[in-house]
Each structure stands twice: as C-alpha cells, then as structure tokens.
Amino acid sequence: MTSFAPDSIVLNRKLPLWYQVSQSLRASILGRSPQDPLRLPTEEQLAGHYGVSVLTMRQALKELEDEGLISRHRRRGTFIEPDARRGSPVRLLGSVDAIVAQQSGMTTELLDHGSAPVPGELAEFFPDVREVSTYHRLRSDEKTGEPTNHARNYVRPELAARIDLDDLVRWPMTKVLRDVAGADISRITDTVEARLADPETSKLLQVPLLSPILHYTGVTYDAGGRPLDVAVIHYRGDRFSFTVTLDAT
C-alpha cells in the first residue's frame, strides 16, 4: 500500500523538535490532495524523514492523534482521519511551520486579487513601494461549509509575480511565499485584537453586524528584516480562540 508523503522541514533547535515535527506533518495532512493516500509511513520512516529520534516522532504523532487528525492501529499502521474536523484554535507558538499548519485545512475561495496603493495603515511596512499586490480570500469549514475567516494579504510586487493563484486556493500564503516564490522567511510577528464585525465581515462570515470578531495582523519578514507580506484576517469570534506558548529556553 502506498503511504502518504509529508513535506520536509528545516528544524529549529531552539524549539521543541516534537512540536515542530507535529506542526509540519499537520500542515502536510491538512494541505493534502483528495487522491493522496491516507496511510502514513511507519514511525521509523517518519523519524528518518524528519531527522529525529523515534521517541520524538512518537510524541509528535500523539499530538496529532489527540487532535483527531490521525488514528493508530496496532499491526495495521497509522492513518489520516478523512473526516476530522479542521477548525481549531489559532496557536501562536513561534515557528513558520506552525503558522503554515494553522492556516491549512480549510476550503479556500479567492474572492479577488490585483494591485492597489499601499494602505495608509500599512505604509510603515512598505516604505519603498507605491503599490502592493492584494489577495482577498474566504475560508470555510471543509465539512460544514460554514465560513470561518476572511483574509487580505498585501504582498511585495516582485514576490507576487511568482505566485500562482491556484496555489493560493490549495495552500496558505506563508507556504506559497516560502516554498513556491522562494522567499527567505525569517520571522512572522502577530498582533491580535478584539473588534466588532463591520458590514463586509458580517456578510462574508454570516454573523450579526457588530458581533465580536478576532482581528489578526501578521507581518512576514525576510532575513534582512524587510517586510514581505502583511496578512489581515478577521476570524469569527465564536469559532476561534488564540493560544500563545512561550519557550523559556
């Protein structure tokens, strides 16, 4: 039986290895194609793929099993749960792969895209360009079809020239920038605040006008400290919460 082939990852030794591996595998699972196999490689094969110990791999798999994304069967192997619920709390845990994993696993519709002058509130991030490429997407729960968030990305034009719109329907912007456009992503800063749904958000997310939402702004930087992309996302307040974990090492 053919096994599912997860993406690779460059491990950061400052973060727990099991956590990084679990998030990378989670992103691969949630971003898989419908025709991909449901069976995962063995623990030993996965450990070799990620360059970690079997014990570390086992801990990563337990995280995904607890979340309901996989099921493990003695003598049969480990399998992806095709009907696992994919809406989950937004976790801010300090790695690019964590962001990719969080953004994965929902049905995505590209509402519009184009070029626009840099918005005044984002001018500090794009001091050297007059226009940015914009992408507006609506994400919905894959199982129920219920809208969960809508996102606007503002991307430097030289990077946008390398983006295929089909990739944005399948993958999160962070993954597209890193793995397709070849961006050298060094860090992402996150800001979350409570707001009330404006008319556009109320309509897109199917929530009452002025109901609570979570307003997220994520800025992606390259190794030189230059902002590459600013994501502005409105999450339904009744479907998402934010968890922040700080590494004490």
Side-chain angles (χ1 to χ4, degrees):
M1 180 185 294
T2 303
S3 297
F4 176 73
D7 295 336
S8 298
I9 180 178
V10 177
L11 294 172
N12 180 346
R13 297 292 167 177
K14 295 182 179 180
L15 293 172
L17 297 181
W18 68 266
Y19 165 71
Q20 296 178 71
V21 169
S22 71
Q23 292 303 293
S24 177
L25 184 53
R26 183 180 189 273
S28 295
I29 288 173
L30 295 180
R32 73 189 187 280
S33 299
Q35 65 269 21
D36 286 340
L38 293 178
R39 185 190 183 105
L40 288 179
T42 65
E43 287 181 353
E44 292 76 11
Q45 290 170 332
L46 286 170
H49 174 78
Y50 288 112
V52 298
S53 69
V54 172
L55 185 61
T56 295
M57 193 66 239
R58 193 168 296 157
Q59 189 175 3
L61 290 172
K62 184 179 185 303
E63 175 82 359
L64 299 182
E65 184 180 23
D66 291 344
E67 190 178 336
L69 285 180
I70 64 173
S71 59
R72 310 180 75 185
H73 306 274
R74 189 174 182 181
R75 297 181 181 177
R76 290 180 51 213
T78 303
F79 295 84
I80 298 168
E81 289 291 335
D83 297 326
R85 184 173 179 82
R86 300 185 180 194
S88 61
V90 178
R91 299 179 179 179
L92 307 181
L93 292 166
S95 76
V96 172
D97 283 281
I99 298 296
V100 170
Q102 181 57 58
Q103 295 171 351
S104 301
M106 297 182 185
T107 299
T108 301
E109 177 186 357
L110 181 64
L111 299 178
D112 61 66
H113 68 93
S115 297
V118 177
E121 65 272 21
L122 303 182
E124 64 179 297
F125 302 114
F126 301 104
D128 58 332
V129 296
R130 292 186 176 181
E131 291 192 338
V132 287
S133 294
T134 63
Y135 304 89
H136 187 197
R137 290 171 296 163
L138 177 67
R139 298 190 184 105
S140 303
D141 184 284
E142 188 179 65
K143 187 175 181 180
T144 66
E146 181 182 57
T148 58
N149 67 83
H150 75 99
R152 278 192 170 86
N153 288 83
Y154 303 86
V155 181
R156 295 186 66 87
E158 65 270 23
L159 281 175
R162 307 176 212 161
I163 293 176
D164 188 315
L165 297 181
D166 289 338
D167 289 336
L168 286 179
V169 174
R170 179 181 179 187
W171 292 321
M173 177 64 81
T174 305
K175 180 176 177 64
V176 172
L177 289 176
R178 185 186 64 180
D179 299 344
V180 178
D184 181 15
I185 297 176
S186 66
R187 63 187 175 96
I188 299 173
T189 63
D190 304 295
T191 303
V192 183
E193 57 184 299
R195 290 195 180 180
L196 302 178
D198 58 26
E200 179 188 44
T201 296
S202 173
K203 180 179 179 180
L204 287 173
L205 300 188
Q206 299 176 17
V207 296
L209 184 65
L210 301 181
S211 61
I213 62 168
L214 295 175
H215 179 88
Y216 164 93
T217 303
V219 185
T220 300
Y221 295 86
D222 66 13
R226 182 182 64 164
L228 305 175
D229 162 56
V230 178
V232 178
I233 309 176
H234 288 164
Y235 291 92
R236 283 183 56 153
D238 61 344
R239 287 292 308 276
F240 287 91
S241 62
F242 279 75
T243 301
V244 182
T245 298
L246 300 178
D247 184 8
T249 60

